[in-house]
């Protein structure tokens, strides 16, 4: 690798920028009396170099399609990112820096993509930022394969990820790094802040792996440099940009808290303010003014010039894009559909026209719907954690994404559930893809923190969870979800939809496609009858979250039965037996609690208001949450223990999910 030396004038201003980052980071953490100064101080040269030289971005258009992405996976070091965004000209002011970690500020403790201009993804739980980065890199490769032509390559961005020891240690990075190496993602550059210090003390107390060889074994190119040396950064990153053929890791050895006379290189610089006297001593040692939040005018002037250069780069790209658009009108039309996520106006009509024979498993009905949707919606991409033959997420008419070939729409994520979920979020963050990912419901536990962050960010990801109850049968309690519905419903901004039959499956997909946030589709393994009473317009059924599928014969009803998924048909069977003995019964299908809670008070009253007799919920999961709808005196037919290995019919009898068993409980 040929050594490249930075222009002396550029190197001088980058050094000044690095020390400005250190000063802003120390001051912000000290003022907040909370935060992590160590990483921003240790990685200041990395931040200064990236924003001052190679990053292809335009701060005045932070969503420019062809921008390079930067992700701070080690999100606790957020002041590095906020300092760089402020100096580079994003909508992060010096006042925002001063309000670090304060209520409703643009500079929260960890970067949040909905709050702060220029933040590509919400990070903090370590390792997931790399997963998002791999997902973004994969998504961009898919888009490049779709829209670039032999003559006009309108998309060629890079994804940079800065991660720390905590990211390297977390298991999710093993999953996503192995996958990135498998697919040879040549647009991904990860920088490892190897400062040999964790929050709890020296790294050697908890780790001794050879990260260089580990990443080589994943199929990455790996470089090792002094991360505080601007010339080494320039030499290495310039070489990678010109020659990259696979994902690349730069192991950048840095000094945590660099510049602090008494805390640099120690865990004392990691997660606490340095202290007033140490901040003062650090500024003296660094040769920067003691004035809080000081930014040299020369730094602002440098970035003003750079902003003009970056704006011109985007303007030149727009001219190329216009030529591409004229030459490729069909591709332009497709791109506009993908950007705006346009749905056909007659989507509901088209989905209702699909023939799905009854009885049918929820997973199979979803597969049939997905095949149709893939034809209609070019922005749907997805796959499974090695279960596509079982969760039925494979789109048969499209190929599989393979190393070096990104023209497919099916992705085999391997047995990497957590990694798959983080990558799905990253794919969504490209702005042109709605990803769907599948596995068994019980394995949502592996994915939980990634689903939580997707919910926090309102990323439109669709999770297809199959094998949704004890009725999957013989695989037994290790695979039979019990508490998972309640656990997913506990997450704000996640829509959890458990369809009763093929009719509701069709409408559940419409709900997921219309919701600008994540959706979990909960689908059965076993066959379910298709019910006449669920064949209602989307706006009157699933869109409402809960709706009456059987009205009481006389008012008020003696019983109101509320069920989801496979238990809806069971509730209808119970209602028939109750009517035989002269009882009046209302039956409610409640596929989505979250959609129901968004309804107006009048509608809610029409479903659950007034005297409804004995309220009974029927769901093959824990009862947690149901008493909000059935009341303190309501009866929850539920699972309060783990399941067992047996055929589904035997399990129904064993755990009380039969008509006779329910009648015994409620009469």
């Amino acid at each position: 690798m040929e050594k490249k030396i930075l222009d002396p004038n550029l190197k001088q201003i980058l050094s000044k920028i690095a020390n400005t980052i250190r000063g802003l980071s120390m001051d912000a953490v000290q003022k907040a009396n909370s935060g992590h100064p160590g990483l921003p101080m240790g990685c200041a040269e990395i931040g200064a170099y990236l924003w001052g030289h190679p990053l292809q971005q335009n701060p005045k258009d932070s969503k420019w399609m062809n921008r390079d992405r930067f992700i701070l996976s080690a999100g606790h070091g957020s002041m590095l990112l906020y300092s760089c965004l402020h100096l580079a000209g994003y909508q992060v002011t010096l006042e925002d820096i001063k309000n670090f970690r304060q209520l409703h500020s643009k500079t929260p403790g960890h970067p949040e993509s909905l709050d702060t201009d220029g933040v590509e993804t919400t990070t903090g739980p370590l390792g997931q930022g790399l997963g998002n980065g791999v997902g973004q890199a994969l998504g961009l490769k898919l888009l490049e394969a779709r829209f670039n032509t032999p003559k006009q390559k309108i998309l060629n961005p890079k994804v940079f990820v800065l991660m720390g020891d905590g990211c390297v240690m977390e298991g999710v990075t093993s999953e996503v790094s192995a996958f990135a190496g498998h697919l040879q993602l040549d647009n991904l550059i990860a920088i490892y802040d190897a400062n040999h210090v964790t929050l709890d003390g020296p790294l050697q107390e908890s780790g001794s792996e050879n990260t260089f060889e580990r990443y080589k074994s994943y199929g990455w190119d790996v470089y090792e440099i002094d991360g505080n040396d601007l010339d080494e950064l320039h030499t290495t990153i310039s070489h990678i940009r010109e020659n990259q053929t696979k994902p690349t890791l730069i192991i950048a050895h840095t000094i945590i808290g660099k510049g602090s006379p008494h805390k640099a290189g120690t865990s004392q610089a990691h997660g606490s303010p340095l202290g007033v006297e140490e901040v003062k001593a650090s500024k003296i040692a660094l040769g920067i003014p003691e004035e809080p939040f000081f930014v040299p005018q020369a730094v602002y002037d440098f970035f003003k010039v750079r902003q003009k250069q970056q704006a011109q780069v985007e303007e030149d790209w727009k001219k190329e894009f216009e030529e591409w658009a004229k030459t490729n009108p069909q591709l332009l039309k497709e791109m506009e559909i993908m950007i705006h996520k346009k749905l056909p106006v007659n989507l509901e009509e088209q989905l209702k026209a699909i023939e799905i024979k009854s009885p049918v498993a929820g997973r199979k009905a979803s597969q049939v719907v997905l095949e149709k949707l893939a034809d209609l919606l070019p922005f749907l991409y997805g796959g499974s954690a090695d279960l596509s033959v079982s969760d039925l997420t494979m789109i048969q008419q499209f190929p599989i994404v393979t190393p070096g070939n990104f023209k497919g729409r099916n992705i085999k994520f391997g047995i990497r559930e957590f990694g798959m979920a983080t990558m799905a979020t990253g794919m969504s963050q490209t702005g042109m893809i709605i990803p769907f990912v599948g596995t068994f419901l019980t394995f949502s536990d592996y994915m939980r923190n990634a689903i939580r962050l997707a919910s926090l960010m309102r990323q439109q990801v669709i999770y297809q969870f199959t094998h949704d109850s004890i009725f999957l049968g013989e695989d037994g309690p290790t695979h039979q979800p019990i508490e998972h519905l309640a656990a997913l419903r506990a997450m704000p901004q996640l829509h959890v939809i458990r369809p009763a039959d093929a009719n509701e499956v069709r409408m559940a997909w419409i709900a997921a496609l219309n919701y600008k946030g994540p959706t979990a589709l909960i689908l059965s393994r076993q066959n379910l009858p298709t019910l006449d009473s669920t064949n209602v317009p989307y706006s009157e059924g699933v869109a409402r979250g809960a709706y009456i599928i059987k009205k009481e014969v006389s008012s008020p009803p003696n019983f109101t039965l509320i069920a989801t998924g496979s238990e809806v048909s069971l509730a209808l069977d119970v209602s028939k037996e109750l009517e035989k003995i002269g009882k009046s019964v209302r039956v409610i299908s409640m596929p989505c609690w979250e959609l129901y809670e968004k309804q107006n008070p009048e509608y809610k009253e029409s479903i659950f208001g007034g005297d409804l007799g004995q309220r009974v919920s029927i769901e093959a999961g824990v009862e947690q949450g149901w008493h909000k709808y059935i009341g303190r005196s309501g009866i929850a037919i539920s699972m309060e223990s783990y399941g067992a290995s047996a055929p589904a019919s035997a399990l129904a009898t064993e755990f009380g999910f039969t008509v006779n068993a329910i009648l015994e409980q409620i009469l």
Side-chain angles (χ1 to χ4, degrees):
M1 182 169 57
E2 181 184 353
K3 187 172 184 179
K4 294 188 177 182
I5 305 298
L6 280 166
D7 176 89
N9 292 328
L10 177 58
K11 184 175 181 180
Q12 183 180 34
I13 191 66
L14 292 179
S15 296
K16 192 179 288 288
I17 293 167
N19 279 341
T20 302
I21 291 169
R22 291 188 173 97
L24 290 175
S25 299
M26 283 188 286
D27 288 337
V29 171
Q30 195 62 45
K31 184 174 184 290
N33 196 29
S34 172
H36 297 73
L39 182 148
M41 296 174 73
C43 292
E45 279 81 12
I46 295 172
Y49 177 73
L50 288 177
W51 266 272
H53 191 59
L55 282 182
Q56 179 177 274
Q57 295 183 339
N58 181 4
K60 302 309 177 188
D61 183 6
S62 60
K63 298 301 182 184
W64 173 34
M65 185 189 305
N66 201 42
R67 70 190 182 279
D68 288 338
R69 275 76 168 170
F70 175 85
I71 294 171
L72 182 65
S73 188
H76 57 273
S78 57
M79 269 311 306
L80 172 75
L81 181 54
Y82 298 148
S83 298
C84 291
L85 292 175
H86 167 65
L87 298 174
Y90 288 83
Q91 294 177 38
V92 178
T93 66
L94 198 59
E95 193 63 26
D96 294 325
I97 299 289
K98 293 176 182 179
N99 285 326
F100 178 56
R101 288 185 166 231
Q102 303 310 299
L103 185 64
H104 302 313
S105 75
K106 291 183 182 179
T107 50
H110 294 84
E112 297 184 33
S113 58
L114 293 181
D115 289 347
T116 312
D117 185 41
V119 173
E120 297 286 354
T121 185
T122 298
T123 55
L126 295 176
Q128 289 198 57
L130 181 63
N132 296 162
V134 173
Q136 289 187 23
L138 170 57
L140 290 167
K141 294 297 289 184
L142 296 172
L143 296 175
E144 288 174 27
R146 192 150 198 160
F147 296 115
N148 285 351
T149 67
K151 292 183 179 179
Q152 295 167 299
K153 291 180 169 52
I154 57 163
L155 294 173
N156 63 350
K158 298 286 188 182
V159 178
F160 290 82
V161 181
L162 179 61
M163 58 184 190
D165 287 308
C167 298
V168 171
M169 286 183 172
E170 287 288 355
V172 68
T173 54
S174 297
E175 295 182 23
V176 301
S177 298
F179 188 67
H182 166 69
L183 286 183
Q184 300 169 16
L185 296 179
D186 61 0
N187 57 348
L188 176 65
I189 302 170
I191 303 172
Y192 167 27
D193 172 28
N195 59 36
H196 309 292
V197 174
T198 66
L199 188 146
D200 225 17
L203 174 64
Q204 65 189 25
E205 295 177 347
S206 59
S208 53
E209 71 174 38
N210 188 326
T211 305
F212 189 103
E213 293 299 330
R214 173 184 159 193
Y215 272 79
K216 290 288 285 186
S217 74
Y218 289 147
W220 290 48
D221 280 332
V222 185
Y223 299 86
E224 198 157 7
I225 67 169
D226 179 347
N228 297 124
D229 187 310
L230 288 165
D231 286 322
E232 287 196 30
L233 283 164
H234 181 54
T235 296
T236 305
I237 292 176
S238 297
H239 174 79
I240 293 166
R241 292 209 72 139
E242 293 168 7
N243 301 283
Q244 189 172 12
T245 60
K246 56 180 70 172
T248 301
L249 177 69
I250 301 171
I251 300 175
H253 294 282
T254 64
I255 300 171
I256 191 170
K258 188 175 189 295
S260 171
H262 305 106
K263 297 186 177 181
T266 74
S267 59
Q268 292 179 342
H270 191 293
S272 301
L274 296 179
V276 174
E277 292 304 316
E278 188 67 12
V279 168
K280 181 179 179 180
S282 300
K283 289 184 176 181
I284 292 171
L286 292 166
I288 60 179
E290 293 182 36
E291 176 187 340
F293 302 100
F294 177 78
V295 179
Q297 188 59 46
V299 170
Y300 281 138
D301 290 343
F302 169 81
F303 277 110
K304 284 179 183 177
V305 173
R306 180 153 167 76
Q307 286 167 33
K308 290 179 181 178
Q309 295 168 341
Q310 292 171 306
Q312 187 59 52
V313 169
E314 183 176 354
E315 283 303 313
D316 293 341
W317 175 86
K318 284 180 178 178
K319 292 175 183 176
E320 294 178 22
F321 183 85
E322 287 170 4
E323 286 299 314
W324 171 87
K326 289 177 185 176
T327 311
N328 304 281
Q330 188 56 40
L331 285 179
L332 176 64
K333 182 179 178 182
E334 198 170 274
M335 177 179 282
E336 288 174 344
I337 291 172
M338 293 180 69
I339 289 171
H340 300 292
K341 314 294 192 309
K342 292 180 181 177
L343 302 177
V345 292
N346 64 341
L347 180 60
E348 181 175 348
E349 180 183 339
Q350 292 201 58
L351 294 189
K352 284 196 170 185
I354 302 171
E355 182 181 355
I356 304 178
K357 294 181 179 179
S358 177
V360 63
R363 59 174 177 161
K364 179 59 180 176
S366 182
Q367 181 188 40
V368 176
V369 172
L370 184 55
E371 292 285 349
K372 180 66 175 179
L373 290 172
D375 273 337
L376 297 173
L377 310 176
F379 45 77
L380 269 183
Y381 286 77
S384 173
D386 199 52
L387 289 170
S388 61
V389 295
S390 195
D391 60 32
L392 305 184
T393 48
M394 181 71 69
I395 310 171
Q396 299 297 328
Q397 68 266 41
F398 292 107
I400 297 168
V401 172
T402 57
N405 186 349
F406 297 92
K407 289 188 177 296
R409 303 231 334 243
N410 294 291
I411 303 162
K412 289 200 170 187
F413 289 100
I415 306 94
R416 303 181 178 102
E417 290 89 354
F418 190 2
M420 174 178 71
T422 64
M423 289 185 279
T425 298
M427 292 169 65
S428 173
Q429 288 166 335
T430 63
M432 282 193 271
I433 293 173
I434 295 180
F436 61 89
V437 292
T439 187
F440 296 170
L441 178 56
T442 191
F443 301 140
S444 64
D445 283 343
Y446 286 146
M447 303 162 64
R448 183 170 180 80
N449 207 258
I451 299 172
R452 183 177 188 272
L453 283 188
S455 300
L456 179 62
M457 289 185 273
R458 293 185 180 271
Q459 287 297 323
Q460 193 169 8
V461 180
I462 300 172
Y463 309 100
Q464 176 157 313
F465 293 126
T466 66
H467 296 58
D468 71 339
S469 71
I470 58 169
F471 300 119
L472 65 89
E474 291 85 347
D475 273 347
T478 58
H479 284 54
Q480 292 167 0
I482 303 297
E483 73 281 17
H484 300 75
L485 280 167
L488 290 172
R489 286 172 180 151
M491 280 194 221
Q493 299 173 180
L494 173 69
H495 283 186
V496 181
I497 308 178
R498 189 173 184 236
D501 63 0
N503 289 330
E504 287 194 352
V505 167
R506 292 178 173 95
M507 301 302 103
W509 270 101
I510 292 177
L513 291 166
N514 276 292
Y515 177 50
K516 303 307 178 188
T519 299
L521 300 179
I522 313 298
L523 304 167
S524 74
R525 175 185 184 270
Q526 75 276 22
N527 285 341
L528 305 174
T530 302
L531 309 170
D532 292 338
S533 53
T534 59
N535 188 16
V536 299
Y538 169 70
S539 61
E540 298 175 17
V542 170
R544 294 289 201 172
Y547 63 108
I548 298 169
I549 60 170
K550 180 180 177 60
K551 292 184 178 179
E552 58 271 24
V553 176
S554 59
S555 188
N558 302 112
F559 291 90
T560 295
L561 310 180
I562 312 140
T564 74
S566 55
E567 288 71 72
V568 172
S569 61
L570 176 59
L572 287 170
D573 291 341
V574 171
S575 74
K576 292 175 186 175
E577 295 303 312
L578 287 170
E579 287 179 340
K580 288 179 182 178
I581 58 174
K583 303 297 183 183
S584 178
V585 185
R586 175 183 293 190
V587 180
I588 298 169
S589 175
M590 196 173 185
C592 183
W593 292 14
E594 297 79 22
L595 283 172
Y596 169 75
E597 291 298 341
K598 294 178 180 180
Q599 304 306 306
N600 61 50
E602 293 75 19
Y603 182 78
K604 289 182 178 181
E605 182 68 16
S606 73
I607 299 296
F608 285 114
D611 182 3
L612 295 180
Q614 178 65 64
R615 301 187 188 204
V616 181
S617 64
I618 309 174
E619 184 175 70
V622 295
E623 73 174 44
Q624 187 171 342
W626 272 111
H627 286 281
K628 179 176 182 179
Y629 303 109
I630 64 176
R632 292 177 64 188
S633 60
I635 299 172
I637 309 298
S638 60
M639 288 292 301
E640 301 307 322
S641 65
Y642 295 107
S645 177
S649 57
L651 294 169
T653 301
E654 175 72 13
F655 293 104
F657 285 90
T658 64
V659 171
N660 288 336
I662 292 172
L663 290 174
E664 286 181 14
Q665 286 199 60
I666 68 178
L667 287 173

